[in-house]
């Protein structure tokens, strides 16, 4: 089978011919139909410390097949697998149980924060390949995808869309008329705009990419702001938002860049929520929080990590009912042979949305 392998950080992925993984007791083999290229995949490729540390913590090492936003077809099941059969279409949540849901958090319905978390492309070989093996300890988290869901949408649900669904439906009670500022309009940020609009909220988007902001407008953002990296520019954006709209209910960060987030805290109303979904890529960043403001307004700061496997059914139901449209969130589909071109485009921040691999031979 063909697989895109990370052999050395910041070097082109190698397209290699590998043996199709052998299925052991309790394992499941997927034929990959589509997989998203997440910004975090790009960060690992760059060798950013936070993700390298996670890869090492979870038992992964180079070379490794990248990719965690996977939608595939079950082609073989190991002995003792009862919940799935050959031909089933499934997604593997980007953060899945690594202990068959036996830890405290899994048993509470939060397998996305399992004590033995498994993320494909970090701890195990991922989905930038024709086939992907899901180990026995994570099979319970595979989610069946009903007929009629577009492959690109299914892949997005695994991480980018799933994380935003967690943010706006589980980590904060977003209501019609609420005002949201989304920092970052990539795959996750654009997904958040889709969800917030579906819930009746009003969204303002901030990003460095003009094409991403154009997508944000298509998806219903009432205002967009281009940020070029200057701190004084962010202060001007905040002042303009405050002047036009007043305080906001939620600030949703998908970038993980402290200096891009902190200026927006004064925008939050009393009992407002700061949602942090972007990973701190250097691994040592700190947020210089204005504690007096956080205390005086009783601002809530909430982390968001992917989506538990137990919460996917509602997403697919809304997709089938036509209440969610992720077509604008998909930037383009490519062949596995074009993955290095995709990383180049991401390095230049030219992609407006998620790049999806859907051709493997």
């Amino acid at each position: 089978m063909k697989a895109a392998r990370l052999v050395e950080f910041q070097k082109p992925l190698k397209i290699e011919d590998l043996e199709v993984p052998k299925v052991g007791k309790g394992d499941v083999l997927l034929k990959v139909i589509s997989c998203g290229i997440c910004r975090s995949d790009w960060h690992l490729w760059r060798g950013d410390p936070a993700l390298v540390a996670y890869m090492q913590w979870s038992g992964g090492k180079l070379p490794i097949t990248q990719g965690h936003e996977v939608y595939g077809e079950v082609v073989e099941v190991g002995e003792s697998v009862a919940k799935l059969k050959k031909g089933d279409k499934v997604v593997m949540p980007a953060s899945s149980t690594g202990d068959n849901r036996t830890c405290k958090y899994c048993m509470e319905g939060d397998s996305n924060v399992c004590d033995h978390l498994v993320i494909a492309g970090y701890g195990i070989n991922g989905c930038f390949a024709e086939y992907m093996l899901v180990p026995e300890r994570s099979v319970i988290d595979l989610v069946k995808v009903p007929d009629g869901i577009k492959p690109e949408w299914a892949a997005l649900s695994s991480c980018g869309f799933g994380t935003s669904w967690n943010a706006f439906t589980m980590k904060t009670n977003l209501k019609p008329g609420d005002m949201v500022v989304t920092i970052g309009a990539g795959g996750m940020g654009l997904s958040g705009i889709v969800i917030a609009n579906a819930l009746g909220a009003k969204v303002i988007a901030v990003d460095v990419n003009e094409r991403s902001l154009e997508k944000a407008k298509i998806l219903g953002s009432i205002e967009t702001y281009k940020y070029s990296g200057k701190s004084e520019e962010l202060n001007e954006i905040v002042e303009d938002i405050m002047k036009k709209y007043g305080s906001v209910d939620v600030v949703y960060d998908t970038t993980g860049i402290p200096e891009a987030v902190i200026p927006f805290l004064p925008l939050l109303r009393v009992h407002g929520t700061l949602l942090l979904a972007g990973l701190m890529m250097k691994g040592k960043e700190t947020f210089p929080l204005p504690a007096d403001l956080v205390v005086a307004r009783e601002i809530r700061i909430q982390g968001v990590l992917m989506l538990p496997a137990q919460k996917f059914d509602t997403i697919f139901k809304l997709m089938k009912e036509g209440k969610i449209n992720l077509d604008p969130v998909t930037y383009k589909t490519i062949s596995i042979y074009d993955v290095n071109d995709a990383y180049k485009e991401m390095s230049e921040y030219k992609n407006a949305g998620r790049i999806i691999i859907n051709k493997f031979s």
Side-chain angles (χ1 to χ4, degrees), residues 2-3 7 10 20-21 33-34 56 62 79 87 95 102 108 115 128 156 182 192 226 240 272 275 277 298 331 354 356:
K2 299 295 183 185
V7 177
Q10 298 188 26
V20 175
I33 297 171
S34 61
Q56 294 169 342
L62 301 185
E79 181 186 348
S95 52
T102 58
E108 291 174 349
D115 272 337
F128 290 2
L156 269 165
T182 295
K226 188 173 187 300
D240 194 63
L275 295 170
E298 293 190 337
Y331 175 52
R354 190 65 97 233
I356 305 282

Side-chain angles (χ1 to χ4, degrees), residues 40-56:
S40 62
D41 295 321
W42 175 82
H43 279 293
L44 179 63
W45 167 76
R46 285 206 324 176
D48 286 338
L51 292 178
V52 173
Y54 174 74
M55 180 181 70
Q56 294 169 342

Side-chain angles (χ1 to χ4, degrees), residues 139-150:
V139 164
I140 192 172
D141 265 7
L142 290 176
V143 181
K144 290 183 183 179
V145 179
D147 293 337
I149 305 297
K150 292 185 178 182

